């Protein structure tokens, strides 16, 4: 939505049953940013399960219905990947459990120190972690704390963060409780550190549904309201994928603003707002005066949200 396709990259492991309508939509977005990598057999399928009475309500769990192929950093940077160029990715958004997060962190460290097939030595790619719901449990706390220090930022939703910390979930999101959970998590990450330069403490961004999101970073601490607040929930058709696009928008914002967390957080909320307006992907159309997503100008919505952020904080 915010960057030219040449600055984005997505690998799609496409099996023989991959729906042609999805291929066509993604190609229309621009095939330059997508590598349709053929795989034997069927495409990975999974089930999103919500504990509430409707889609998007309550705690989310995720269940694979068929075998998945796990991506690692080398998949992006080694031939025949179309992204194997001298300009390696500056940011990588990963959605995974703790076991795979460790594989990714270890491989990134090894590539940075030694390179792989002559590529990637000194690579300063930044990792953004969206932990899978299955890992957001108290028994994984120590693993999450240890791994988080290798990431630039971590972003669970509020229910997931409360679960990690062993805090009983609240029936509805409350701003003060979200801030308390983030501050407790930050304290645990910082525990035992005598020198902040010794260990990285990542930015924390907790997503709180209709309340918006709370960013806790060295550069900025504050709230970004959801574009569709409590009074506009009839506009939210399906929140599935909202967290994914939130973090995609965040990374676009970081790239455009050269690392400004406040600005990037506004990009994040704007991107998510388009994703939750329908089942599936938002619709892109191109006009003489620019692109439209779901018949809206993303830059206009971005500016509207920026004004609301300044008023809120």
């Amino acid at each position: 939505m915010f960057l030219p396709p040449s600055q984005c990259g997505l690998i799609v492991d496409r099996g023989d049953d991959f729906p042609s309508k999805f291929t066509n939509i993604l190609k229309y977005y621009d095939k330059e940013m997508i590598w349709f990598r053929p795989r034997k057999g069927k495409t990975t399928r999974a089930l999103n399960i919500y504990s509430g009475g409707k889609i998007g309500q309550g705690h989310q769990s995720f269940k694979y219905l068929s075998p998945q192929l796990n991506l690692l950093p080398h998949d992006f940077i080694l031939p025949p990947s179309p992204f194997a160029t001298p300009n390696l990715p500056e940011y990588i958004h990963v959605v995974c459990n703790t076991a795979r997060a460790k594989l990714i962190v270890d491989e990134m460290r090894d590539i940075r120190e030694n390179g792989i097939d002559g590529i990637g030595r000194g690579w300063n790619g930044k990792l953004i972690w969206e932990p899978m719901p299955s890992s957001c449990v108290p028994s994984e706390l120590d693993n999450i704390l240890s791994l988080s220090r290798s990431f630039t930022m971590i972003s669970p939703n509020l229910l997931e963060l409360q679960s990690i910390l062993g805090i009983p979930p609240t029936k509805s999101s409350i701003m003060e409780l979200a801030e308390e959970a983030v501050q407790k998590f930050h304290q645990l990450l910082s525990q035992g550190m005598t020198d902040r330069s010794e260990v990285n403490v990542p930015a924390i961004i907790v997503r709180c549904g209709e309340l918006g999101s709370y960013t806790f970073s060295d550069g900025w601490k504050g709230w970004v309201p959801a574009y569709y607040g409590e009074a506009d929930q009839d506009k939210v058709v399906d929140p599935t994928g909202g967290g994914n696009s939130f973090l995609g928008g965040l990374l676009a914002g970081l790239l455009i603003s050269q690392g400004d967390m406040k600005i990037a957080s506004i990009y994040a909320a704007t991107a998510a707002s388009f994703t939750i307006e329908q089942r599936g992907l938002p619709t892109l159309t191109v006009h003489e005066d620019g692109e439209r997503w779901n018949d809206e100008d993303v830059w206009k919505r971005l500016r509207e949200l920026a004004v609301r952020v300044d008023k809120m904080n």
Side-chain angles (χ1 to χ4, degrees), residues 9-166:
L10 173 69
I11 296 175
V12 177
D13 285 314
R14 184 169 57 176
D16 55 25
D17 63 338
F18 192 80
S20 58
K21 68 175 183 179
F22 293 162
T23 299
N24 294 336
I25 292 170
L26 291 170
K27 282 184 174 179
Y28 185 72
Y29 281 179
D30 200 301
K31 60 185 179 182
E32 182 182 2
M33 70 178 183
I34 300 164
W35 180 20
F36 289 105
R37 189 167 64 169
R39 64 170 291 181
K40 293 181 179 178
K42 305 295 184 184
T43 309
T44 299
R45 290 178 182 271
L47 185 65
N48 257 332
I49 305 164
Y50 295 98
S51 63
K54 63 179 182 178
I55 290 175
Q57 196 175 70
H59 192 80
Q60 178 189 6
S61 57
F62 190 80
K63 177 184 178 183
Y64 282 106
L65 303 178
S66 58
Q68 75 271 29
L69 297 180
N70 286 331
L71 295 173
L72 289 168
H74 74 264
D75 288 297
F76 283 94
I77 68 170
L78 288 182
S81 168
F83 312 123
T85 69
N87 299 313
L88 299 180
E90 292 184 49
Y91 293 98
I92 298 178
H93 167 208
V94 299
V95 188
C96 62
N97 59 22
T98 51
R100 184 163 157 243
K102 187 176 188 311
L103 292 175
I104 291 169
V105 165
D106 290 347
E107 183 173 283
M108 280 291 287
R109 184 182 299 115
D110 189 53
I111 293 173
R112 187 179 297 121
E113 292 175 358
N114 306 305
I116 180 170
D117 293 352
I119 297 172
R121 189 170 184 179
W123 180 21
N124 192 33
K126 299 175 180 65
L127 295 171
I128 314 304
W129 188 16
E130 184 180 352
M132 290 285 281
S134 59
S135 288
C136 296
V137 291
S139 60
E140 288 278 22
L141 175 60
D142 288 342
N143 288 331
I144 290 172
L145 291 173
S146 175
L147 287 164
S148 292
R149 297 184 179 105
S150 296
F151 286 84
T152 298
M153 66 189 71
I154 179 170
S155 180
N157 66 33
L158 179 55
L159 283 173
E160 290 164 349
L161 181 58
Q162 288 174 327
S163 178
I164 292 167
L165 296 171

Side-chain angles (χ1 to χ4, degrees), residues 14 19 26 78 124 150 155 186 202 247 255 261 268 286 291 294:
R14 184 169 57 176
L26 291 170
L78 288 182
N124 192 33
S150 296
S155 180
H186 183 267
L247 290 168
L255 204 64
M261 284 298 298
V286 181
E291 294 180 350
N294 292 349

Side-chain angles (χ1 to χ4, degrees), residues 125-292:
K126 299 175 180 65
L127 295 171
I128 314 304
W129 188 16
E130 184 180 352
M132 290 285 281
S134 59
S135 288
C136 296
V137 291
S139 60
E140 288 278 22
L141 175 60
D142 288 342
N143 288 331
I144 290 172
L145 291 173
S146 175
L147 287 164
S148 292
R149 297 184 179 105
S150 296
F151 286 84
T152 298
M153 66 189 71
I154 179 170
S155 180
N157 66 33
L158 179 55
L159 283 173
E160 290 164 349
L161 181 58
Q162 288 174 327
S163 178
I164 292 167
L165 296 171
I167 299 172
T170 52
K171 288 185 178 180
S172 59
S173 296
I174 300 172
M175 295 174 82
E176 290 78 9
L177 293 179
E179 292 178 19
E180 288 172 10
V182 170
Q183 288 161 11
K184 181 178 179 180
F185 187 59
H186 183 267
Q187 287 168 0
L188 291 171
L189 283 168
S190 306
Q191 242 170 37
M193 291 173 53
T194 56
D195 182 356
R196 280 291 302 270
S197 64
E198 291 177 0
V199 182
N200 173 61
V201 176
I204 306 164
I205 304 177
V206 62
R207 294 167 279 113
C208 306
E210 65 270 16
L211 278 186
S213 60
Y214 180 60
T215 298
F216 193 97
S217 69
D218 287 341
W220 183 67
K221 297 174 180 65
W223 281 90
V224 173
Y227 186 78
Y228 294 120
E230 293 179 87
D232 299 312
Q233 287 304 291
D234 59 314
K235 306 281 180 53
V236 178
V237 175
D238 183 3
T240 306
N244 302 147
S245 58
F246 180 96
L247 290 168
L250 183 89
L251 300 192
L254 285 171
L255 204 64
I256 290 167
S257 69
Q258 298 183 330
D260 188 305
M261 284 298 298
K262 178 182 178 182
I263 293 173
S265 298
I266 299 169
Y267 274 80
T270 305
S273 72
F274 285 96
T275 303
I276 63 178
E277 291 176 339
Q278 67 287 308
R279 299 292 299 272
L281 295 165
T283 301
L284 168 64
T285 52
V286 181
H287 303 262
E288 287 185 3
D289 58 345
E291 294 180 350
R292 296 290 181 271

